[in-house]
């Protein structure tokens, strides 16, 4: 077979077919090519029967791609090669032998909805209040236990002394009991039961050890403990195990991935041969050098350094802006400039961010510039469930005439108002020609409602209370009141899962939107706010078949590549995250750095990093330092604002007032106010001032924050607030 298309290291990885092999495949180093050629080499040169070859991937998409490539390369006989995901592999094994564990070979596989239904039964049986122990939290903890191959009894033993985990242990035990009674497995069980099958029935294990004499595992850095056990069992006889992965791209710890599976591979298999694929075929030399400089700061990693034969390319662009709005304008303006002046396609651009909530401003700026986009791994900001829920609350408070909005929130959070009740109210409204909310207000006239009447009246009382207390200048406080009095935020906080935390971040970003609206409007109204949101949220008009800029989180970007990549929000507290910094965990910080490395290595030709001096968080404007990850890129590789290392002039974005900063300085250090800079304030420390929202207060401090002044005011009713003079629009009160 032809191997002349492979480089030296790739060829070495292909021809080393005996014994354990660890292929450390850097980003863009052609690992899929190596795997498929390795399969072909085993068959054509080593004479291995395709029946004895196994290749495991993580996703159906990856398995399909590998299957296609292998078929094209091998041809006849390739259908006998086992190419599958972990889960599909386990299903095929269990269908034959799970009766050894007391299940039927026709067992049922439960999806997420099935799991939730079972858990509801468990909660009812154990008399557990879901408000005290949210169901999603319990399911997440059970999944985590299974990833670690912990049985209910082992989990219970480890949980002793922890009341919450002891309760989860009871739920876990009863949950498994009911699954077994239903002859059902959830997705985690597929792996756990296969490992148990091999553990307790060595004759079955031997059958598959004989079948899979040559095993290859892709993305090995993403395996969890139970997946490690499964692979170890299968490979323990012939030991022809080849694992491919990149410890520098291990970013799924929150899903159970254990980076030490790849870091400690040689400890499990002492005679392992290690081959490093360090030649990158994707990016320019400058981009790779930046990636290397960042990732070398991690200690828990295998030593390697990406290189390429591509051109030097542009320096990494770094820009720092006054706020997140200028940052968003820069992204939109730069994309527009490149498309209009350089003939590139919108498809060539990706905007990466740490959290989904960050997409809101980028979306708005792209829409304002008529730039088509699509979001990978999520909905547009205003289409997300929690945001739509809250918008529907605001719509109902505003006028109550939007029947769809009222119906959406009538039982959100759950109030015990079901579909039958809704139908009865709908019929009443239709018979009298009134809107749905008015029918709810007259619900006492609907005699068939029974106990649901009280629930409806509670809902109407709550909405009427919001209406009566409505103050257009305090719409952010209205949002907080909705979240508190409905229990919406509390429910998400108690759930305490990755998903619920993401939803809370989105809600915080929605609060930022409201605060921003209030600061920019002297006479705000709820109607105008909803109208503004509706205009921005209308993104369904563009044709998805047309080229579009891609927006996604760093996690979603893994495995993809783009000619031009924007990494936004490169600030301490955002990336790395605030929780990572507060935890003080070096392990958590290194995972964040690996995530940054993944982002950098997505870029082929141009990489742009940006951050904001101040960003609205939880409805308040905060200063932030430049991310340490930006600071880890040497000057010689990065164009830092006005000081372009290449000597060329930095191209400014369309807005001319964006202030550029430098990573080797602290652009946020406050300087004492010492006179007039760019604007004149008609008040000073000690003066009494009036704010359109917070009322009367006394100025305590004025400090310079760059192009603006940060003013601290002690308000009579609202307490102490810090704000920027240009936004606050404080008026001096003459005594």
């Amino acid at each position: 077979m032809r191997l002349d298309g492979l480089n030296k290291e790739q060829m070495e990885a292909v021809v080393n077919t005996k014994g354990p092999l660890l292929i450390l495949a850097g980003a863009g180093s052609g690992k899929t090519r190596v795997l498929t050629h390795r399969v072909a080499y085993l068959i054509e040169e080593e004479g291995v029967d395709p029946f004895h070859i196994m290749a495991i991937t993580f996703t159906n998409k990856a398995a399909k791609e590998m299957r296609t490539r292998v078929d094209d390369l091998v041809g006849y006989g390739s259908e006998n090669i086992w190419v599958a995901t972990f889960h599909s592999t386990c299903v095929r094994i269990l269908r034959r032998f799970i009766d050894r564990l007391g299940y039927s070979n026709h067992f049922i596989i439960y999806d997420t909805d099935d799991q939730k239904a079972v858990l509801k039964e468990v909660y009812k049986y154990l008399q557990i209040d879901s408000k005290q122990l949210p169901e999603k939290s319990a399911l997440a903890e059970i999944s985590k236990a299974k990833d670690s191959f912990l049985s209910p009894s082992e989990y219970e033993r480890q949980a002793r002394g922890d009341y919450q985990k002891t309760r989860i242990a009871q739920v876990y035990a009863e949950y498994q009991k009911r699954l077994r009674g239903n002859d059902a497995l959830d997705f985690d069980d597929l792996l756990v039961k296969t490992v148990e099958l091999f553990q307790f029935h060595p004759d079955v294990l031997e059958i598959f050890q004989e079948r899979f004499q040559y095993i290859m595992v892709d993305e090995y850095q993403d395996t969890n403990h139970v997946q490690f056990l499964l692979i170890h069992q299968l490979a323990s006889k012939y030991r022809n195990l080849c694992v491919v992965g990149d410890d520098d791209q291990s970013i799924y710890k929150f899903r159970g991935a254990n980076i030490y599976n790849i870091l400690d591979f040689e400890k499990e298999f002492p005679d392992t041969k290690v081959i490093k694929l360090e030649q990158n075929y994707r990016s320019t030399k400058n981009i790779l050098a930046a990636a290397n400089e960042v990732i070398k700061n991690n200690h828990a990693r295998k030593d390697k350094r990406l290189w390429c034969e591509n051109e030097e390319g542009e320096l990494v662009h770094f820009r720092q802006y006054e706020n997140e709005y200028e940052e968003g304008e820069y992204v939109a303006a730069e994309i527009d400039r490149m498309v209009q002046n350089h003939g590139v396609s919108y498809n060539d651009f990706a905007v990466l961010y740490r959290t989904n909530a960050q997409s809101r401003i980028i979306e708005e700026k792209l829409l304002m510039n008529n730039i088509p986009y699509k979001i990978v791994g999520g909905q547009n900001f205003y289409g997300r469930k929690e945001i739509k829920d809250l918008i529907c609350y605001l719509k109902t408070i505003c006028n109550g005439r939007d029947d769809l909005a009222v119906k959406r929130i009538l039982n959100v959070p759950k109030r015990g108002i079901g579909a039958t009740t809704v139908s009865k109210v709908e019929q009443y409204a239709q018979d009298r020609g009134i809107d749905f909310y008015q029918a709810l207000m007259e619900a006492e006239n609907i005699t068939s409602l029974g106990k649901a009447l009280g629930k409806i009246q509670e809902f109407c009382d709550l909405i009427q209370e919001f209406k009566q207390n409505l103050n257009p200048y305090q719409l952010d406080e209205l949002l907080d009141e909705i979240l508190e009095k409905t229990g919406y935020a509390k429910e998400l906080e108690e759930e305490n899962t990755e998903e619920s935390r993401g939803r809370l971040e989105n809600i915080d970003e929605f609060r930022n939107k409201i605060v921003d609206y209030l600061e920019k409007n002297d006479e705000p109204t709820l109607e105008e706010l909803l109208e503004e949101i509706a205009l921005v949220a209308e993104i369904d008009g563009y044709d998805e078949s047309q080229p579009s800029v891609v927006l996604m989180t760093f996690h979603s970007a893994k495995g993809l590549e783009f000619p031009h990549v924007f990494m936004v929000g490169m600030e301490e507290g955002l990336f790395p995250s605030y929780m990572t910094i507060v935890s003080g965990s070096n392990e958590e910080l290194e995972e964040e750095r690996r995530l940054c490395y993944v982002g950098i290595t997505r870029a082929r030709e141009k990489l742009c990093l940006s951050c904001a001096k101040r960003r609205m968080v939880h409805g308040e404007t905060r200063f932030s330092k430049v991310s340490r990850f930006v600071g880890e890129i040497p000057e010689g590789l990065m164009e830092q604002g006005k000081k372009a290392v290449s000597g060329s002039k930095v191209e400014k974005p369309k807005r001319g007032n964006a202030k550029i900063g430098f990573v080797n300085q602290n652009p946020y250090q406050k300087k004492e106010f010492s006179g007039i800079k760019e604007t004149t304030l008609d008040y000073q420390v000690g003066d009494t001032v009036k704010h359109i929202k917070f009322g009367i207060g006394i100025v305590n401090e004025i400090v310079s924050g760059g192009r603006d002044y940060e003013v601290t005011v002690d308000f009579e009713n609202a307490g102490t607030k810090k704000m920027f003079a240009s936004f606050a629009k404080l008026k001096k009160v003459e005594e």
Side-chain angles (χ1 to χ4, degrees), residues 263-278:
L263 293 179
D264 295 341
F265 186 78
E266 295 120 298
K267 293 180 181 178
E268 295 297 328
F269 297 91
D271 56 337
T272 294
K273 182 173 182 60
V274 179
I275 297 174
K276 299 177 183 178
L277 303 183
E278 298 171 293

PDB file of all heavy atoms in Angstrom, residues 263-278:
ATOM      1  N   LEU A 263      -2.319  10.540  30.517  1.00  0.00           N
ATOM      2  CA  LEU A 263      -1.043  10.902  31.130  1.00  0.00           C
ATOM      3  C   LEU A 263      -0.350   9.699  31.771  1.00  0.00           C
ATOM      4  O   LEU A 263       0.880   9.616  31.791  1.00  0.00           O
ATOM      5  CB  LEU A 263      -1.256  12.003  32.182  1.00  0.00           C
ATOM      6  CG  LEU A 263      -1.695  13.383  31.666  1.00  0.00           C
ATOM      7  CD1 LEU A 263      -1.875  14.341  32.823  1.00  0.00           C
ATOM      8  CD2 LEU A 263      -0.690  13.940  30.666  1.00  0.00           C
ATOM      9  N   ASP A 264      -1.152   8.768  32.311  1.00  0.00           N
ATOM     10  CA  ASP A 264      -0.588   7.608  33.009  1.00  0.00           C
ATOM     11  C   ASP A 264      -0.655   6.326  32.178  1.00  0.00           C
ATOM     12  O   ASP A 264      -0.540   5.225  32.722  1.00  0.00           O
ATOM     13  CB  ASP A 264      -1.322   7.387  34.341  1.00  0.00           C
ATOM     14  CG  ASP A 264      -1.111   8.531  35.324  1.00  0.00           C
ATOM     15  OD1 ASP A 264      -0.138   9.286  35.138  1.00  0.00           O
ATOM     16  OD2 ASP A 264      -1.923   8.676  36.263  1.00  0.00           O
ATOM     17  N   PHE A 265      -0.841   6.464  30.875  1.00  0.00           N
ATOM     18  CA  PHE A 265      -0.987   5.277  30.036  1.00  0.00           C
ATOM     19  C   PHE A 265       0.229   4.356  30.136  1.00  0.00           C
ATOM     20  O   PHE A 265       0.105   3.133  30.200  1.00  0.00           O
ATOM     21  CB  PHE A 265      -1.204   5.698  28.572  1.00  0.00           C
ATOM     22  CG  PHE A 265      -1.512   4.554  27.648  1.00  0.00           C
ATOM     23  CD1 PHE A 265      -2.785   3.999  27.602  1.00  0.00           C
ATOM     24  CD2 PHE A 265      -0.529   4.018  26.817  1.00  0.00           C
ATOM     25  CE1 PHE A 265      -3.082   2.942  26.749  1.00  0.00           C
ATOM     26  CE2 PHE A 265      -0.813   2.963  25.962  1.00  0.00           C
ATOM     27  CZ  PHE A 265      -2.092   2.424  25.935  1.00  0.00           C
ATOM     28  N   GLU A 266       1.423   4.945  30.185  1.00  0.00           N
ATOM     29  CA  GLU A 266       2.645   4.133  30.252  1.00  0.00           C
ATOM     30  C   GLU A 266       2.785   3.398  31.586  1.00  0.00           C
ATOM     31  O   GLU A 266       3.471   2.385  31.669  1.00  0.00           O
ATOM     32  CB  GLU A 266       3.882   4.998  30.019  1.00  0.00           C
ATOM     33  CG  GLU A 266       3.944   5.584  28.618  1.00  0.00           C
ATOM     34  CD  GLU A 266       3.967   7.090  28.611  1.00  0.00           C
ATOM     35  OE1 GLU A 266       2.982   7.694  29.084  1.00  0.00           O
ATOM     36  OE2 GLU A 266       4.955   7.652  28.138  1.00  0.00           O
ATOM     37  N   LYS A 267       2.131   3.904  32.637  1.00  0.00           N
ATOM     38  CA  LYS A 267       2.165   3.208  33.923  1.00  0.00           C
ATOM     39  C   LYS A 267       1.336   1.931  33.857  1.00  0.00           C
ATOM     40  O   LYS A 267       1.676   0.913  34.472  1.00  0.00           O
ATOM     41  CB  LYS A 267       1.642   4.117  35.035  1.00  0.00           C
ATOM     42  CG  LYS A 267       2.543   5.315  35.334  1.00  0.00           C
ATOM     43  CD  LYS A 267       1.965   6.167  36.450  1.00  0.00           C
ATOM     44  CE  LYS A 267       2.844   7.384  36.730  1.00  0.00           C
ATOM     45  NZ  LYS A 267       2.256   8.254  37.783  1.00  0.00           N
ATOM     46  N   GLU A 268       0.207   2.006  33.129  1.00  0.00           N
ATOM     47  CA  GLU A 268      -0.651   0.827  32.982  1.00  0.00           C
ATOM     48  C   GLU A 268      -0.029  -0.177  32.013  1.00  0.00           C
ATOM     49  O   GLU A 268      -0.187  -1.387  32.180  1.00  0.00           O
ATOM     50  CB  GLU A 268      -2.039   1.255  32.475  1.00  0.00           C
ATOM     51  CG  GLU A 268      -2.829   2.113  33.443  1.00  0.00           C
ATOM     52  CD  GLU A 268      -3.163   1.383  34.733  1.00  0.00           C
ATOM     53  OE1 GLU A 268      -3.346   0.139  34.698  1.00  0.00           O
ATOM     54  OE2 GLU A 268      -3.246   2.052  35.783  1.00  0.00           O
ATOM     55  N   PHE A 269       0.677   0.330  31.012  1.00  0.00           N
ATOM     56  CA  PHE A 269       1.342  -0.522  30.017  1.00  0.00           C
ATOM     57  C   PHE A 269       2.813  -0.091  29.932  1.00  0.00           C
ATOM     58  O   PHE A 269       3.174   0.740  29.091  1.00  0.00           O
ATOM     59  CB  PHE A 269       0.660  -0.386  28.648  1.00  0.00           C
ATOM     60  CG  PHE A 269      -0.775  -0.839  28.628  1.00  0.00           C
ATOM     61  CD1 PHE A 269      -1.802   0.061  28.880  1.00  0.00           C
ATOM     62  CD2 PHE A 269      -1.099  -2.164  28.362  1.00  0.00           C
ATOM     63  CE1 PHE A 269      -3.130  -0.350  28.871  1.00  0.00           C
ATOM     64  CE2 PHE A 269      -2.425  -2.583  28.341  1.00  0.00           C
ATOM     65  CZ  PHE A 269      -3.438  -1.685  28.603  1.00  0.00           C
ATOM     66  N   PRO A 270       3.663  -0.643  30.816  1.00  0.00           N
ATOM     67  CA  PRO A 270       5.058  -0.176  30.923  1.00  0.00           C
ATOM     68  C   PRO A 270       5.874  -0.268  29.638  1.00  0.00           C
ATOM     69  O   PRO A 270       6.828   0.487  29.464  1.00  0.00           O
ATOM     70  CB  PRO A 270       5.641  -1.096  32.007  1.00  0.00           C
ATOM     71  CG  PRO A 270       4.457  -1.534  32.806  1.00  0.00           C
ATOM     72  CD  PRO A 270       3.343  -1.667  31.828  1.00  0.00           C
ATOM     73  N   ASP A 271       5.526  -1.175  28.753  1.00  0.00           N
ATOM     74  CA  ASP A 271       6.308  -1.315  27.519  1.00  0.00           C
ATOM     75  C   ASP A 271       5.712  -0.505  26.366  1.00  0.00           C
ATOM     76  O   ASP A 271       5.933  -0.798  25.189  1.00  0.00           O
ATOM     77  CB  ASP A 271       6.413  -2.786  27.122  1.00  0.00           C
ATOM     78  CG  ASP A 271       5.039  -3.447  26.961  1.00  0.00           C
ATOM     79  OD1 ASP A 271       4.073  -2.939  27.557  1.00  0.00           O
ATOM     80  OD2 ASP A 271       4.945  -4.468  26.251  1.00  0.00           O
ATOM     81  N   THR A 272       4.988   0.525  26.691  1.00  0.00           N
ATOM     82  CA  THR A 272       4.345   1.368  25.674  1.00  0.00           C
ATOM     83  C   THR A 272       5.373   2.102  24.818  1.00  0.00           C
ATOM     84  O   THR A 272       6.356   2.635  25.325  1.00  0.00           O
ATOM     85  CB  THR A 272       3.427   2.410  26.350  1.00  0.00           C
ATOM     86  OG1 THR A 272       2.347   1.757  26.984  1.00  0.00           O
ATOM     87  CG2 THR A 272       2.874   3.404  25.328  1.00  0.00           C
ATOM     88  N   LYS A 273       5.095   2.148  23.524  1.00  0.00           N
ATOM     89  CA  LYS A 273       5.877   2.991  22.621  1.00  0.00           C
ATOM     90  C   LYS A 273       5.093   4.283  22.426  1.00  0.00           C
ATOM     91  O   LYS A 273       3.884   4.256  22.185  1.00  0.00           O
ATOM     92  CB  LYS A 273       6.092   2.297  21.277  1.00  0.00           C
ATOM     93  CG  LYS A 273       6.952   3.128  20.311  1.00  0.00           C
ATOM     94  CD  LYS A 273       7.295   2.353  19.065  1.00  0.00           C
ATOM     95  CE  LYS A 273       8.193   3.185  18.134  1.00  0.00           C
ATOM     96  NZ  LYS A 273       9.473   3.575  18.762  1.00  0.00           N
ATOM     97  N   VAL A 274       5.784   5.410  22.561  1.00  0.00           N
ATOM     98  CA  VAL A 274       5.134   6.712  22.433  1.00  0.00           C
ATOM     99  C   VAL A 274       5.611   7.393  21.144  1.00  0.00           C
ATOM    100  O   VAL A 274       6.811   7.501  20.903  1.00  0.00           O
ATOM    101  CB  VAL A 274       5.437   7.616  23.642  1.00  0.00           C
ATOM    102  CG1 VAL A 274       4.760   8.978  23.469  1.00  0.00           C
ATOM    103  CG2 VAL A 274       4.994   6.952  24.940  1.00  0.00           C
ATOM    104  N   ILE A 275       4.660   7.815  20.324  1.00  0.00           N
ATOM    105  CA  ILE A 275       4.976   8.537  19.086  1.00  0.00           C
ATOM    106  C   ILE A 275       4.228   9.870  19.121  1.00  0.00           C
ATOM    107  O   ILE A 275       3.022   9.909  19.373  1.00  0.00           O
ATOM    108  CB  ILE A 275       4.567   7.728  17.843  1.00  0.00           C
ATOM    109  CG1 ILE A 275       5.371   6.425  17.777  1.00  0.00           C
ATOM    110  CG2 ILE A 275       4.772   8.553  16.565  1.00  0.00           C
ATOM    111  CD1 ILE A 275       4.942   5.489  16.670  1.00  0.00           C
ATOM    112  N   LYS A 276       4.959  10.938  18.873  1.00  0.00           N
ATOM    113  CA  LYS A 276       4.354  12.265  18.893  1.00  0.00           C
ATOM    114  C   LYS A 276       4.141  12.769  17.469  1.00  0.00           C
ATOM    115  O   LYS A 276       5.077  12.787  16.668  1.00  0.00           O
ATOM    116  CB  LYS A 276       5.249  13.251  19.647  1.00  0.00           C
ATOM    117  CG  LYS A 276       5.498  12.878  21.104  1.00  0.00           C
ATOM    118  CD  LYS A 276       6.461  13.860  21.755  1.00  0.00           C
ATOM    119  CE  LYS A 276       6.775  13.441  23.186  1.00  0.00           C
ATOM    120  NZ  LYS A 276       7.753  14.361  23.825  1.00  0.00           N
ATOM    121  N   LEU A 277       2.905  13.153  17.177  1.00  0.00           N
ATOM    122  CA  LEU A 277       2.590  13.798  15.897  1.00  0.00           C
ATOM    123  C   LEU A 277       2.541  15.300  16.161  1.00  0.00           C
ATOM    124  O   LEU A 277       1.548  15.822  16.662  1.00  0.00           O
ATOM    125  CB  LEU A 277       1.253  13.299  15.350  1.00  0.00           C
ATOM    126  CG  LEU A 277       1.102  11.794  15.135  1.00  0.00           C
ATOM    127  CD1 LEU A 277      -0.256  11.477  14.518  1.00  0.00           C
ATOM    128  CD2 LEU A 277       2.222  11.244  14.262  1.00  0.00           C
ATOM    129  N   GLU A 278       3.633  15.975  15.856  1.00  0.00           N
ATOM    130  CA  GLU A 278       3.741  17.396  16.190  1.00  0.00           C
ATOM    131  C   GLU A 278       3.666  18.306  14.967  1.00  0.00           C
ATOM    132  O   GLU A 278       3.559  19.518  15.114  1.00  0.00           O
ATOM    133  CB  GLU A 278       5.062  17.651  16.929  1.00  0.00           C
ATOM    134  CG  GLU A 278       5.151  16.893  18.257  1.00  0.00           C
ATOM    135  CD  GLU A 278       6.533  16.977  18.882  1.00  0.00           C
ATOM    136  OE1 GLU A 278       7.484  16.417  18.291  1.00  0.00           O
ATOM    137  OE2 GLU A 278       6.654  17.597  19.955  1.00  0.00           O
TER     138      GLU A 278
END
